[in-house]
Short mmCIF file of all heavy atoms in Angstrom, two decimals:
data_model
loop_
_atom_site.label_atom_id
_atom_site.label_comp_id
_atom_site.label_asym_id
_atom_site.label_seq_id
_atom_site.Cartn_x
_atom_site.Cartn_y
_atom_site.Cartn_z
N LEU R 296 0.91 -1.11 0.02
CA LEU R 296 0.07 -0.01 0.06
C LEU R 296 0.94 1.27 -0.07
O LEU R 296 1.64 1.56 0.84
CB LEU R 296 -0.91 0.05 1.21
CG LEU R 296 -1.87 1.22 1.42
CD1 LEU R 296 -2.79 1.34 0.28
CD2 LEU R 296 -2.48 1.09 2.77
N ALA R 297 0.74 2.10 -0.99
CA ALA R 297 1.59 3.31 -1.08
C ALA R 297 0.91 4.48 -0.51
O ALA R 297 -0.41 4.42 -0.69
CB ALA R 297 1.90 3.46 -2.57
N LYS R 298 1.51 5.49 0.06
CA LYS R 298 0.92 6.53 0.69
C LYS R 298 1.76 7.65 0.33
O LYS R 298 3.05 7.77 0.61
CB LYS R 298 0.84 6.28 2.15
CG LYS R 298 0.35 7.48 2.98
CD LYS R 298 -1.18 7.43 2.93
CE LYS R 298 -1.69 8.52 3.94
NZ LYS R 298 -2.50 9.42 3.32
N ASP R 299 1.09 8.68 -0.24
CA ASP R 299 1.89 9.78 -0.67
C ASP R 299 2.18 10.81 0.48
O ASP R 299 1.40 10.85 1.45
CB ASP R 299 1.16 10.78 -1.68
CG ASP R 299 1.10 10.17 -3.03
OD1 ASP R 299 1.96 9.41 -3.36
OD2 ASP R 299 -0.02 10.52 -3.69
N LEU R 300 3.35 11.58 0.54
CA LEU R 300 3.61 12.53 1.46
C LEU R 300 2.73 13.72 0.95
O LEU R 300 2.64 13.97 -0.06
CB LEU R 300 5.07 12.90 1.49
CG LEU R 300 6.12 11.91 2.14
CD1 LEU R 300 7.51 12.47 1.91
CD2 LEU R 300 5.83 11.63 3.49
N GLY R 301 2.25 14.31 2.03
CA GLY R 301 1.45 15.53 1.61
C GLY R 301 0.68 16.14 2.78
O GLY R 301 0.92 15.89 3.90
N GLU R 302 -0.07 17.03 2.36
CA GLU R 302 -0.89 17.90 3.31
C GLU R 302 -2.03 17.01 4.03
O GLU R 302 -2.61 16.11 3.33
CB GLU R 302 -1.69 19.09 2.54
CG GLU R 302 -0.77 20.02 1.97
CD GLU R 302 0.11 20.81 3.02
OE1 GLU R 302 -0.43 21.09 4.06
OE2 GLU R 302 1.21 20.98 2.58
N PRO R 303 -2.05 17.14 5.34
CA PRO R 303 -2.98 16.32 6.11
C PRO R 303 -4.51 16.97 5.99
O PRO R 303 -5.24 16.84 6.91
CB PRO R 303 -2.53 16.48 7.46
CG PRO R 303 -1.80 17.73 7.56
CD PRO R 303 -1.32 17.93 6.28
N ASP R 304 -4.89 17.37 4.77
CA ASP R 304 -6.15 17.92 4.53
C ASP R 304 -7.07 16.79 4.09
O ASP R 304 -6.73 15.71 4.00
CB ASP R 304 -6.18 19.05 3.55
CG ASP R 304 -5.52 18.55 2.12
OD1 ASP R 304 -5.47 17.42 1.94
OD2 ASP R 304 -5.16 19.44 1.45
N ALA R 305 -8.44 17.03 4.01
CA ALA R 305 -9.35 16.25 3.71
C ALA R 305 -9.08 15.39 2.38
O ALA R 305 -9.37 14.27 2.12
CB ALA R 305 -10.80 16.65 3.55
N ALA R 306 -8.49 16.11 1.47
CA ALA R 306 -8.17 15.52 0.02
C ALA R 306 -6.82 14.79 0.18
O ALA R 306 -6.42 14.11 -0.82
CB ALA R 306 -8.05 16.53 -1.02
N GLN R 307 -6.11 14.91 1.25
CA GLN R 307 -4.67 14.38 1.38
C GLN R 307 -3.88 14.66 0.03
O GLN R 307 -3.45 13.75 -0.58
CB GLN R 307 -4.83 12.96 1.62
CG GLN R 307 -5.39 12.54 2.97
CD GLN R 307 -5.22 11.13 3.42
OE1 GLN R 307 -4.68 10.43 2.69
NE2 GLN R 307 -5.73 10.92 4.69
N THR R 308 -3.83 15.98 -0.18
CA THR R 308 -3.06 16.45 -1.38
C THR R 308 -1.58 16.18 -1.40
O THR R 308 -0.91 16.46 -0.40
CB THR R 308 -3.25 18.01 -1.51
OG1 THR R 308 -4.65 18.33 -1.42
CG2 THR R 308 -2.68 18.48 -2.73
N PRO R 309 -1.18 15.40 -2.38
CA PRO R 309 0.19 15.02 -2.46
C PRO R 309 1.26 16.23 -2.50
O PRO R 309 0.77 17.20 -3.05
CB PRO R 309 0.45 14.15 -3.73
CG PRO R 309 -1.00 13.73 -4.05
CD PRO R 309 -1.86 14.65 -3.55
N ASP R 310 2.32 16.21 -1.94
CA ASP R 310 3.28 17.29 -1.91
C ASP R 310 4.65 16.69 -2.45
O ASP R 310 5.50 16.45 -1.68
CB ASP R 310 3.40 17.79 -0.44
CG ASP R 310 4.31 19.05 -0.46
OD1 ASP R 310 4.92 19.39 -1.47
OD2 ASP R 310 4.34 19.73 0.54
N PRO R 311 4.84 16.88 -3.78
CA PRO R 311 6.19 16.38 -4.28
C PRO R 311 7.22 17.16 -3.84
O PRO R 311 8.48 16.71 -3.73
CB PRO R 311 5.97 16.51 -5.90
CG PRO R 311 4.72 17.31 -6.03
CD PRO R 311 3.84 17.21 -4.81
N GLY R 312 7.03 18.49 -3.55
CA GLY R 312 8.15 19.29 -2.95
C GLY R 312 8.64 18.84 -1.57
O GLY R 312 9.86 18.69 -1.30
N LEU R 313 7.72 18.44 -0.78
CA LEU R 313 8.08 17.77 0.53
C LEU R 313 8.89 16.41 0.28
O LEU R 313 9.83 16.21 0.97
CB LEU R 313 6.82 17.56 1.31
CG LEU R 313 7.00 16.74 2.62
CD1 LEU R 313 8.05 17.37 3.59
CD2 LEU R 313 5.74 16.36 3.36
N ALA R 314 8.29 15.75 -0.69
CA ALA R 314 9.10 14.46 -0.89
C ALA R 314 10.52 14.72 -1.45
O ALA R 314 11.49 13.98 -0.96
CB ALA R 314 8.26 13.65 -1.94
N ALA R 315 10.64 15.69 -2.27
CA ALA R 315 11.99 16.01 -2.73
C ALA R 315 12.83 16.50 -1.56
O ALA R 315 14.10 16.11 -1.63
CB ALA R 315 11.96 17.07 -3.82
N ARG R 316 12.35 17.26 -0.69
CA ARG R 316 13.18 17.85 0.53
C ARG R 316 13.58 16.64 1.37
O ARG R 316 14.70 16.50 1.75
CB ARG R 316 12.45 18.87 1.31
CG ARG R 316 12.27 20.17 0.55
CD ARG R 316 11.70 21.28 1.32
NE ARG R 316 10.53 20.95 2.10
CZ ARG R 316 9.27 21.08 1.65
NH1 ARG R 316 9.10 21.60 0.42
NH2 ARG R 316 8.19 20.82 2.42
N VAL R 317 12.67 15.62 1.54
CA VAL R 317 13.05 14.48 2.36
C VAL R 317 14.12 13.66 1.65
O VAL R 317 15.07 13.23 2.31
CB VAL R 317 11.75 13.55 2.72
CG1 VAL R 317 12.03 12.23 3.22
CG2 VAL R 317 10.76 14.50 3.58
N VAL R 318 13.91 13.42 0.47
CA VAL R 318 14.90 12.56 -0.35
C VAL R 318 16.27 13.27 -0.25
O VAL R 318 17.31 12.63 0.01
CB VAL R 318 14.53 12.47 -1.77
CG1 VAL R 318 15.64 11.97 -2.74
CG2 VAL R 318 13.22 11.56 -1.99
N ASN R 319 16.33 14.61 -0.53
CA ASN R 319 17.66 15.38 -0.40
C ASN R 319 18.30 15.30 1.09
O ASN R 319 19.41 15.09 1.17
CB ASN R 319 17.60 16.79 -0.90
CG ASN R 319 17.32 16.78 -2.30
OD1 ASN R 319 17.69 15.88 -3.16
ND2 ASN R 319 16.56 17.83 -2.77
N ALA R 320 17.41 15.51 2.00
CA ALA R 320 17.92 15.46 3.43
C ALA R 320 18.37 14.11 3.80
O ALA R 320 19.49 13.91 4.54
CB ALA R 320 16.80 15.98 4.48
N MET R 321 17.75 13.11 3.38
CA MET R 321 18.20 11.70 3.65
C MET R 321 19.46 11.39 2.94
O MET R 321 20.39 10.79 3.45
CB MET R 321 17.02 10.79 3.23
CG MET R 321 15.80 10.78 3.97
SD MET R 321 15.89 10.21 5.82
CE MET R 321 15.98 8.50 5.45
N ARG R 322 19.57 11.85 1.72
CA ARG R 322 20.91 11.68 1.00
C ARG R 322 22.03 12.36 1.78
O ARG R 322 23.11 11.78 1.85
CB ARG R 322 20.83 12.17 -0.39
CG ARG R 322 22.03 11.97 -1.25
CD ARG R 322 22.09 12.60 -2.63
NE ARG R 322 21.93 14.06 -2.46
CZ ARG R 322 21.01 14.84 -3.01
NH1 ARG R 322 20.08 14.34 -3.80
NH2 ARG R 322 21.09 16.14 -2.83
N ASP R 323 21.72 13.56 2.23
CA ASP R 323 22.76 14.26 3.05
C ASP R 323 23.16 13.51 4.26
O ASP R 323 24.26 13.68 4.69
CB ASP R 323 22.21 15.61 3.33
CG ASP R 323 22.08 16.63 2.19
OD1 ASP R 323 22.65 16.33 1.19
OD2 ASP R 323 21.46 17.70 2.34
N ALA R 324 22.32 12.75 4.76
CA ALA R 324 22.56 11.97 5.98
C ALA R 324 23.10 10.61 5.51
O ALA R 324 23.37 9.68 6.45
CB ALA R 324 21.16 11.72 6.81
N GLY R 325 23.28 10.24 4.33
CA GLY R 325 23.96 9.06 3.90
C GLY R 325 22.90 7.90 3.53
O GLY R 325 23.37 6.68 3.39
N ILE R 326 21.64 8.16 3.29
CA ILE R 326 20.69 7.21 3.11
C ILE R 326 20.10 7.61 1.65
O ILE R 326 19.57 8.72 1.45
CB ILE R 326 19.58 7.20 4.06
CG1 ILE R 326 20.17 6.70 5.41
CG2 ILE R 326 18.43 6.23 3.70
CD1 ILE R 326 19.23 6.88 6.54
N LEU R 327 20.27 6.60 0.76
CA LEU R 327 19.67 6.84 -0.60
C LEU R 327 18.24 6.35 -0.73
O LEU R 327 17.99 5.09 -0.53
CB LEU R 327 20.55 6.25 -1.74
CG LEU R 327 21.98 6.74 -1.70
CD1 LEU R 327 22.82 6.07 -2.77
CD2 LEU R 327 21.98 8.23 -1.97
N ILE R 328 17.20 7.16 -0.95
CA ILE R 328 15.95 6.79 -1.20
C ILE R 328 15.46 7.63 -2.54
O ILE R 328 16.20 8.54 -2.85
CB ILE R 328 14.98 7.00 -0.07
CG1 ILE R 328 14.96 8.53 0.28
CG2 ILE R 328 15.42 6.18 1.08
CD1 ILE R 328 13.84 8.88 1.36
N SER R 329 14.28 7.35 -3.03
CA SER R 329 13.80 8.17 -4.10
C SER R 329 12.39 8.49 -3.90
O SER R 329 11.67 7.98 -3.10
CB SER R 329 14.12 7.52 -5.46
OG SER R 329 13.37 6.27 -5.51
N ALA R 330 11.80 9.44 -4.80
CA ALA R 330 10.37 9.77 -4.70
C ALA R 330 9.87 9.13 -5.98
O ALA R 330 10.39 9.28 -7.09
CB ALA R 330 10.07 11.22 -4.68
N SER R 331 8.68 8.48 -5.85
CA SER R 331 8.00 7.87 -7.14
C SER R 331 6.52 8.03 -6.92
O SER R 331 6.06 8.75 -6.23
CB SER R 331 8.46 6.47 -7.33
OG SER R 331 7.91 5.66 -6.19
N GLY R 332 5.88 7.38 -7.92
CA GLY R 332 4.43 7.43 -7.95
C GLY R 332 3.92 8.43 -8.94
O GLY R 332 4.74 9.43 -9.45
N PRO R 333 2.58 8.65 -9.16
CA PRO R 333 2.08 9.50 -10.15
C PRO R 333 2.31 10.97 -9.76
O PRO R 333 2.61 11.82 -10.64
CB PRO R 333 0.51 9.27 -10.03
CG PRO R 333 0.53 7.87 -9.57
CD PRO R 333 1.68 7.69 -8.57
N ALA R 334 2.37 11.35 -8.43
CA ALA R 334 2.73 12.70 -7.92
C ALA R 334 4.04 12.83 -7.52
O ALA R 334 4.42 13.89 -7.03
CB ALA R 334 1.70 13.03 -6.94
N ALA R 335 4.98 11.88 -7.66
CA ALA R 335 6.32 11.89 -7.27
C ALA R 335 6.24 12.31 -5.79
O ALA R 335 7.12 13.16 -5.35
CB ALA R 335 7.26 12.85 -8.01
N ALA R 336 5.42 11.80 -4.92
CA ALA R 336 5.38 12.04 -3.41
C ALA R 336 5.30 10.85 -2.65
O ALA R 336 5.09 11.01 -1.50
CB ALA R 336 4.16 12.85 -3.32
N THR R 337 5.64 9.71 -3.15
CA THR R 337 5.74 8.39 -2.44
C THR R 337 7.26 8.12 -2.28
O THR R 337 7.98 8.05 -3.30
CB THR R 337 4.97 7.34 -3.03
OG1 THR R 337 3.62 7.62 -3.21
CG2 THR R 337 5.13 6.00 -2.35
N LEU R 338 7.71 7.80 -1.17
CA LEU R 338 9.05 7.53 -0.95
C LEU R 338 9.32 6.01 -1.26
O LEU R 338 8.55 5.21 -0.88
CB LEU R 338 9.45 7.78 0.55
CG LEU R 338 9.40 9.18 1.14
CD1 LEU R 338 9.87 9.23 2.47
CD2 LEU R 338 10.17 10.11 0.32
N LYS R 339 10.38 5.85 -1.99
CA LYS R 339 10.83 4.43 -2.32
C LYS R 339 12.10 4.16 -1.83
O LYS R 339 13.06 4.86 -1.96
CB LYS R 339 10.81 4.23 -3.93
CG LYS R 339 11.10 2.88 -4.32
CD LYS R 339 11.11 2.81 -5.89
CE LYS R 339 9.70 2.47 -6.34
NZ LYS R 339 9.60 2.15 -7.69
N ILE R 340 12.10 3.03 -0.89
CA ILE R 340 13.31 2.79 -0.24
C ILE R 340 13.86 1.42 -0.94
O ILE R 340 13.13 0.48 -1.00
CB ILE R 340 13.07 2.45 1.34
CG1 ILE R 340 12.48 3.78 1.93
CG2 ILE R 340 14.38 2.01 2.05
CD1 ILE R 340 11.79 3.57 3.22
N ARG R 341 15.11 1.50 -1.31
CA ARG R 341 15.67 0.32 -1.91
C ARG R 341 16.90 0.02 -1.14
O ARG R 341 18.12 0.40 -1.48
CB ARG R 341 16.08 0.77 -3.40
CG ARG R 341 14.93 1.06 -4.18
CD ARG R 341 15.36 1.39 -5.57
NE ARG R 341 14.12 1.89 -6.29
CZ ARG R 341 14.37 2.45 -7.48
NH1 ARG R 341 15.42 2.62 -8.06
NH2 ARG R 341 13.19 2.87 -8.09
N PRO R 342 16.80 -0.85 -0.20
CA PRO R 342 18.04 -1.18 0.71
C PRO R 342 18.97 -2.08 -0.06
O PRO R 342 18.51 -2.90 -0.93
CB PRO R 342 17.39 -1.92 1.73
CG PRO R 342 16.07 -2.37 1.21
CD PRO R 342 15.65 -1.49 0.33
N PRO R 343 20.25 -2.15 0.27
CA PRO R 343 21.13 -3.02 -0.38
C PRO R 343 20.84 -4.50 0.10
O PRO R 343 20.03 -4.53 1.21
CB PRO R 343 22.46 -2.41 0.13
CG PRO R 343 22.23 -1.70 1.21
CD PRO R 343 20.79 -1.17 1.11
N LEU R 344 21.34 -5.40 -0.39
CA LEU R 344 21.13 -6.85 0.13
C LEU R 344 21.49 -6.96 1.55
O LEU R 344 20.72 -7.54 2.26
CB LEU R 344 21.72 -7.75 -0.76
CG LEU R 344 21.18 -8.00 -2.17
CD1 LEU R 344 21.88 -8.97 -3.12
CD2 LEU R 344 19.81 -8.41 -2.12
N PRO R 345 22.65 -6.60 1.97
CA PRO R 345 22.99 -6.69 3.34
C PRO R 345 22.41 -5.63 4.14
O PRO R 345 22.93 -4.56 4.20
CB PRO R 345 24.53 -6.72 3.42
CG PRO R 345 24.91 -5.88 2.22
CD PRO R 345 23.97 -6.16 1.22
N PHE R 346 21.21 -5.84 4.69
CA PHE R 346 20.49 -4.83 5.45
C PHE R 346 20.28 -5.46 6.89
O PHE R 346 19.26 -6.27 7.02
CB PHE R 346 19.16 -4.53 4.82
CG PHE R 346 18.55 -3.23 5.22
CD1 PHE R 346 19.04 -2.04 4.69
CD2 PHE R 346 17.43 -3.21 5.97
CE1 PHE R 346 18.49 -0.89 5.07
CE2 PHE R 346 16.81 -2.14 6.24
CZ PHE R 346 17.30 -0.84 5.89
N SER R 347 20.82 -4.95 7.84
CA SER R 347 20.81 -5.42 9.21
C SER R 347 19.74 -4.69 10.02
O SER R 347 19.22 -3.63 9.54
CB SER R 347 22.05 -5.31 9.88
OG SER R 347 22.39 -3.98 10.19
N GLU R 348 19.46 -5.12 11.22
CA GLU R 348 18.60 -4.38 12.05
C GLU R 348 19.11 -3.11 12.44
O GLU R 348 18.40 -2.16 12.51
CB GLU R 348 18.33 -5.33 13.36
CG GLU R 348 17.27 -4.73 14.30
CD GLU R 348 16.88 -5.66 15.46
OE1 GLU R 348 17.03 -6.85 15.33
OE2 GLU R 348 16.46 -5.07 16.50
N ARG R 349 20.46 -3.05 12.56
CA ARG R 349 21.02 -1.72 12.82
C ARG R 349 20.89 -0.69 11.60
O ARG R 349 20.62 0.39 11.93
CB ARG R 349 22.53 -1.87 13.14
CG ARG R 349 23.29 -0.77 13.55
CD ARG R 349 24.68 -1.11 13.82
NE ARG R 349 25.70 0.08 13.82
CZ ARG R 349 26.88 -0.02 13.93
NH1 ARG R 349 27.43 -1.19 14.27
NH2 ARG R 349 27.53 1.12 13.91
N ASN R 350 20.95 -1.26 10.48
CA ASN R 350 20.67 -0.43 9.31
C ASN R 350 19.23 0.09 9.32
O ASN R 350 19.09 1.28 8.99
CB ASN R 350 20.95 -1.13 7.97
CG ASN R 350 22.28 -1.52 7.73
OD1 ASN R 350 22.58 -2.75 7.43
ND2 ASN R 350 23.37 -0.72 8.08
N ALA R 351 18.28 -0.80 9.55
CA ALA R 351 16.86 -0.44 9.68
C ALA R 351 16.69 0.67 10.87
O ALA R 351 15.93 1.67 10.55
CB ALA R 351 16.01 -1.57 9.96
N ASP R 352 17.37 0.45 11.88
CA ASP R 352 17.21 1.43 13.06
C ASP R 352 17.68 2.87 12.58
O ASP R 352 17.05 3.85 12.78
CB ASP R 352 17.99 0.98 14.20
CG ASP R 352 17.16 -0.20 14.97
OD1 ASP R 352 16.10 -0.40 14.73
OD2 ASP R 352 17.90 -0.78 15.79
N PHE R 353 18.86 2.85 11.84
CA PHE R 353 19.43 4.04 11.36
C PHE R 353 18.54 4.70 10.32
O PHE R 353 18.27 5.89 10.42
CB PHE R 353 20.84 3.85 10.78
CG PHE R 353 21.43 5.04 10.17
CD1 PHE R 353 21.83 6.08 10.96
CD2 PHE R 353 21.72 5.08 8.60
CE1 PHE R 353 22.33 7.25 10.51
CE2 PHE R 353 22.39 6.31 8.22
CZ PHE R 353 22.73 7.35 9.02
N LEU R 354 17.98 3.97 9.52
CA LEU R 354 17.01 4.48 8.46
C LEU R 354 15.80 5.13 9.08
O LEU R 354 15.45 6.27 8.90
CB LEU R 354 16.52 3.33 7.52
CG LEU R 354 15.38 3.74 6.68
CD1 LEU R 354 15.82 4.50 5.43
CD2 LEU R 354 14.63 2.47 6.15
N LEU R 355 15.20 4.45 10.09
CA LEU R 355 13.99 4.88 10.71
C LEU R 355 14.16 6.19 11.60
O LEU R 355 13.51 7.05 11.59
CB LEU R 355 13.20 3.80 11.48
CG LEU R 355 12.73 2.67 10.56
CD1 LEU R 355 12.26 1.51 11.42
CD2 LEU R 355 11.74 3.22 9.66
N GLU R 356 15.25 6.20 12.42
CA GLU R 356 15.68 7.15 13.19
C GLU R 356 15.94 8.53 12.35
O GLU R 356 15.49 9.59 12.58
CB GLU R 356 16.97 6.91 14.09
CG GLU R 356 16.54 5.98 15.06
CD GLU R 356 17.75 5.36 15.79
OE1 GLU R 356 18.87 5.88 15.54
OE2 GLU R 356 17.64 4.49 16.63
N THR R 357 16.73 8.37 11.23
CA THR R 357 16.89 9.38 10.33
C THR R 357 15.71 9.94 9.65
O THR R 357 15.36 11.10 9.63
CB THR R 357 18.04 8.98 9.33
OG1 THR R 357 19.20 8.37 9.94
CG2 THR R 357 18.51 10.19 8.45
N LEU R 358 14.92 9.13 9.08
CA LEU R 358 13.63 9.49 8.49
C LEU R 358 12.75 10.18 9.50
O LEU R 358 12.18 11.20 9.14
CB LEU R 358 12.96 8.27 7.83
CG LEU R 358 11.65 8.61 7.20
CD1 LEU R 358 11.90 9.58 6.07
CD2 LEU R 358 10.94 7.29 6.62
N ASP R 359 12.59 9.67 10.71
CA ASP R 359 11.81 10.35 11.68
C ASP R 359 12.36 11.79 11.96
O ASP R 359 11.47 12.75 12.08
CB ASP R 359 11.91 9.60 13.01
CG ASP R 359 10.91 10.18 14.00
OD1 ASP R 359 9.69 10.29 13.71
OD2 ASP R 359 11.37 10.35 15.26
N GLY R 360 13.56 11.96 11.99
CA GLY R 360 14.10 13.33 12.34
C GLY R 360 13.93 14.23 11.10
O GLY R 360 13.53 15.42 11.19
N VAL R 361 14.12 13.70 9.92
CA VAL R 361 13.98 14.43 8.59
C VAL R 361 12.45 14.91 8.46
O VAL R 361 12.11 16.12 8.28
CB VAL R 361 14.42 13.69 7.42
CG1 VAL R 361 13.97 14.43 6.10
CG2 VAL R 361 15.92 13.57 7.39
N LEU R 362 11.47 13.93 8.66
CA LEU R 362 10.06 14.30 8.58
C LEU R 362 9.77 15.34 9.68
O LEU R 362 8.95 16.21 9.44
CB LEU R 362 9.25 12.97 8.69
CG LEU R 362 9.34 12.10 7.54
CD1 LEU R 362 8.56 10.76 7.80
CD2 LEU R 362 8.74 12.86 6.31
N ALA R 363 10.24 15.18 10.89
CA ALA R 363 9.86 16.15 11.87
C ALA R 363 10.41 17.50 11.58
O ALA R 363 9.73 18.54 11.74
CB ALA R 363 10.53 15.74 13.29
N HIS R 364 11.54 17.65 10.97
CA HIS R 364 12.15 18.90 10.55
C HIS R 364 11.32 19.54 9.44
O HIS R 364 11.12 20.74 9.31
CB HIS R 364 13.61 18.77 10.10
CG HIS R 364 14.13 20.02 9.70
ND1 HIS R 364 14.27 20.33 8.48
CD2 HIS R 364 14.70 21.09 10.37
CE1 HIS R 364 15.00 21.56 8.23
NE2 HIS R 364 15.30 21.99 9.48
N GLU R 365 11.02 18.69 8.33
CA GLU R 365 10.45 19.11 7.23
C GLU R 365 8.97 19.44 7.30
O GLU R 365 8.34 20.20 6.52
CB GLU R 365 10.56 18.14 5.99
CG GLU R 365 12.01 18.07 5.63
CD GLU R 365 12.57 19.32 4.97
OE1 GLU R 365 11.90 20.22 4.58
OE2 GLU R 365 13.83 19.44 5.09
N THR R 366 8.32 18.93 8.32
CA THR R 366 6.80 19.26 8.51
C THR R 366 6.40 20.07 9.56
O THR R 366 5.37 20.19 9.94
CB THR R 366 6.09 17.71 8.76
OG1 THR R 366 6.60 17.06 9.70
CG2 THR R 366 6.13 16.87 7.38
N ARG R 367 7.49 20.67 10.19
CA ARG R 367 7.23 21.72 11.19
C ARG R 367 6.44 22.84 10.67
O ARG R 367 6.82 23.17 9.57
CB ARG R 367 8.57 22.26 11.79
CG ARG R 367 9.08 21.46 13.04
CD ARG R 367 10.19 22.41 13.48
NE ARG R 367 11.39 22.06 12.64
CZ ARG R 367 12.72 22.41 13.04
NH1 ARG R 367 12.91 22.92 14.24
NH2 ARG R 367 13.64 22.14 12.31
N GLY R 368 5.56 23.28 11.34
CA GLY R 368 4.72 24.39 10.96
C GLY R 368 4.26 25.21 11.79
O GLY R 368 3.78 25.95 12.45
#
């Protein structure tokens, strides 16, 4: 099930600009992800084959921080 990043309004309007900022901030932190989907607002995570629990923790902690920073309002 794919879910676009976007405004938490009734229409849940996709926000490709937010997705691009998240992708760029994650890259700056050393994690490569991309934005895809019809609105380019769905994050696509492509882990390398050796992906440990420690790698998963790093990914989730970094993504949590990036999303908190990018969605402050």
